[in-house]
Amino acid sequence: MASSAMSDEASTYFIFNLEKRYLYTLDLKSRKLLSTLKMPSEGTDGIGDWLIDFQRLDDQNFIAQGDNAFYFF
């Protein structure tokens, strides 16, 4: 399962992959991967097995809600 969002100027694309617990940031102009952010799946900081919600607030702030935790990053 994956969720995605695009930047306001449509130059960057964000993909959150729940299966691997990664947030990928892609540059659409250069077609390159800009960053990869790994999230834990278990433990006190783990997001859990289900992604309930993923939202882009702006190009640097995101909300992800799993069945175990709520993330603001």
Side-chain angles (χ1 to χ4, degrees):
M1 179 178 167
S3 294
S4 62
M6 190 173 298
S7 65
D8 291 332
E9 70 279 352
S11 64
T12 309
Y13 195 63
F14 308 97
I15 302 169
F16 183 75
N17 182 322
L18 178 63
E19 182 181 354
K20 295 185 178 189
R21 275 70 167 192
Y22 282 106
L23 175 66
Y24 301 103
T25 304
L26 307 168
D27 184 327
L28 295 177
K29 292 179 182 178
S30 68
R31 300 180 190 169
K32 294 188 178 184
L33 178 65
L34 296 177
S35 66
T36 303
L37 174 66
K38 171 85 170 136
M39 294 180 165
S41 60
E42 297 179 3
T44 56
D45 293 333
I47 197 164
D49 294 329
W50 297 98
L51 179 67
I52 297 167
D53 192 20
F54 174 79
Q55 295 180 23
R56 182 188 68 86
L57 302 177
D58 57 40
D59 290 348
Q60 296 182 359
N61 296 294
F62 302 88
I63 294 172
Q65 181 180 359
D67 58 345
N68 288 344
F70 179 83
Y71 285 94
F72 177 77
F73 54 98

